[in-house]
Amino acid sequence: MKFFSDNKYIFPTMALMALALSSILCSTTVTAMKMPNMLMGNTLESFLSDLVSLGDITVEQKSSILTISDFASSNSNVFSQADDSENEGYRTEAFASEPSKQELRAFLYTEVSAGVMELETAEIISSTLSLGALYPDENSEGLAFLQQPPAVASYSGEGNVIRVGRWNGLVSTSTSFYNGIWGYAVGDREYALQCHGQGFNIIDITDPTSPFRVQFVPMEGGGYWRDAATHHDAVTGKSYAYVGAQGNQGGGTNPNLFVFDLSNLSGDINAPNGVDSNPCVYLNLGMTGLTHTINVARGLLFLHTAYSSNGCRVYDLTTNPMNPKYLFNTSGSGRDCHDSGVIENVNGRDLWVVSDGGGRRQRIWDITNVGASWPTGALPPLVGQTNQISGIYAHSNWVSDDKRYLFSWDENNVIDISVHDITNPAAPIEINLFQYSENSQYNAIPHNGEVRAKYLYVAYYEAGLRVFDISNPYAPLEVGKAETYRDADGDGDYTRGISGSYDGAWNTYPFLPSGNILVSDMYGGLFIVRADPPYPTPDAPTATGQRDGSDNVILNWNAVDNARGYSVERSFVSDGVYELIAEHLITQSFLDSSARGQTAFYKVNAINGEGVGTSSIISIAPNPSQSPTKMPTGKPSSSPTHLPTKQPTNLCLRKGQICPPNPLSCCSKKCKKGKCT
């Protein structure tokens, strides 16, 4: 067996290979869970060829990796391959066993150490082939958070989630199942647009207890990956659905893009379309294999290829919605583009957040000026990007309604869910990593999620739908679930377990006017649920205040039931404008050192996902010995409108985060040049 590095053998004997493998196995590096890779239907040969074309690896290095893979495949007694089971059958099996992953890790370490491969290239390979965290200390500011406990849950049964309906009209197999889902409402009627390996379903869910299908269109490919999204054309007043696919699983060799004119879907509560009446006209647009996932926003169509050779492909829909106009793609090293989301009007800019798969980060682009007249092939400005975390696969993302917090999902099961403060999109700051409540006992993998109001809805594969109160993003609280996989019929009897496989809830849609939530489960079909308030709006806290010997204001208040956090507002005029000076506090006290020598007025808010309870205004006069100082004309330096939100008092600040003069606020107890080290 040959391994090449500048045409030199690295491991001429199996004995040396075993020695290298042993050293890796004994290392303290974070390792991956046993799972398939993230080739996303691509072949290993094609993935490596893309890296060669981008100049990331040499032809010799490609040959070496293929040799390792071939050896693993042909020596199952040494490198046993994962079974093509229902749970994991929709992933390509290259480097599926732990020994084969460790062997490739040894090769990558050697190449980087020899200076013949960039560390970033090795990380891309490691992420895409699910080898685990390769160099966690080099580029992972959030590594300390990997040991954070799962989110807290304090409910019984399925919590605030109530099942109201289900539709399962197609047969699913390990190579053809339900996948993408979107919702659509017109007039007084609501519809689920659900994808499957066999094709595309339009399901009337106006009465969620009695859903029925009004149209089914068989489509080729897409057994694993088919997705849908809608566009409303302001000129014609019509709405369209775009349905695309990738991969030949499910049958056929043409996983194409389709566009549906939704004009003939009934909006009349008294006059529904008939069962399988096929009211919608559609066109097959071709664009074969370009849609791993899809998004539509501000008149643009985004096809996410999940391959660095294509990246995201962006089209204009305003000129002719039935014939999208190609604008540009984001192909390049580490730019896989697995999914994306758009945030409109962020201080006058429209931002596009791209989950770049093996690139292990979310990139933020300014697409304010992207439209029909955009120069073909030109890239928009890159605004910023999140920190990279070794070993993760940046799968998808969603931004909170207030446009401040970016939630993103890792499909390599290294961190599950990350949270970034993007108040300054040029410099996102990681503030939290968390998992679902049962993760310590049952290690499930997250897939996709969305935010509506102060709640996060996550399709968590085998763990089903999980709902989190994110009113305090530093301490999410799990408030409900729907066990679509373990308990599909909802009788409380778990017929399946959680094994960390890619099986179960695929995606959700929580934006229908009725408030009903759609969940697409790979084998269970369409679940229609609602999420009731898990608790009432918090009561108003009772706040008191006093001055200490340095004339700082010390505020105290009582603990409020069901509060997820507290915030403090201040004004220097009783009936003036109050500004937020602290938020996401989890204890019942706060010290304000910015109001010395002057009377200050305060309000304390108790917050949860249902709303805010606000205290009465309290007035705190300065100590008699203090001379009045000039009233501040600007916001205090700690204002969260300028800097990341104030950390909860019992959480420490991580490496790279802005720290006050007191180094004890840092996890490391060290603060240098204003940042934790």
Side-chain angles (χ1 to χ4, degrees), residues 347-403:
N347 297 321
R349 297 188 297 180
D350 294 342
L351 303 179
W352 177 39
V353 186
V354 177
S355 298
D356 267 330
R360 310 173 318 289
R361 71 183 108 199
Q362 315 292 325
R363 285 186 172 92
I364 304 175
W365 305 79
D366 184 346
I367 59 169
T368 308
N369 298 318
V370 175
S373 60
W374 185 259
T376 302
L379 285 174
L382 181 64
V383 175
Q385 57 192 26
T386 62
N387 60 296
Q388 293 173 301
I389 298 179
S390 183
I392 74 166
Y393 184 86
H395 181 271
S396 55
N397 70 80
W398 205 274
V399 174
S400 60
D401 285 2
D402 61 8
K403 307 175 185 179

Side-chain angles (χ1 to χ4, degrees), residues 36-43 83-93 171-181 194-199 219-228 243-252 254-255 289 291-294 304 306-307 338 395 411 447-448 461 502-507 520-523:
N37 57 58
M38 295 291 135
L39 286 172
M40 300 300 166
N42 204 355
T43 65
D83 294 333
D84 188 16
S85 63
E86 176 184 270
N87 289 346
E88 298 183 313
Y90 76 95
R91 295 289 186 183
T92 307
E93 294 299 331
V171 175
S172 295
T173 69
S174 62
T175 58
S176 180
F177 42 74
Y178 296 98
N179 32 51
I181 193 154
Q194 188 174 32
C195 302
H196 188 277
Q198 296 179 31
M219 298 175 180
E220 294 187 23
Y224 301 164
W225 301 291
R226 194 184 312 281
D227 203 9
V243 184
Q246 189 176 74
N248 296 332
Q249 299 83 5
N254 296 296
T291 310
H292 191 85
T293 58
I294 196 169
H304 314 122
Y307 300 159
H338 187 280
H395 181 271
E411 204 179 13
H447 197 214
N448 295 296
Y461 275 125
Y502 298 89
D503 191 16
W506 185 273
N507 210 346
S520 180
D521 186 277
M522 295 161 63
Y523 301 97

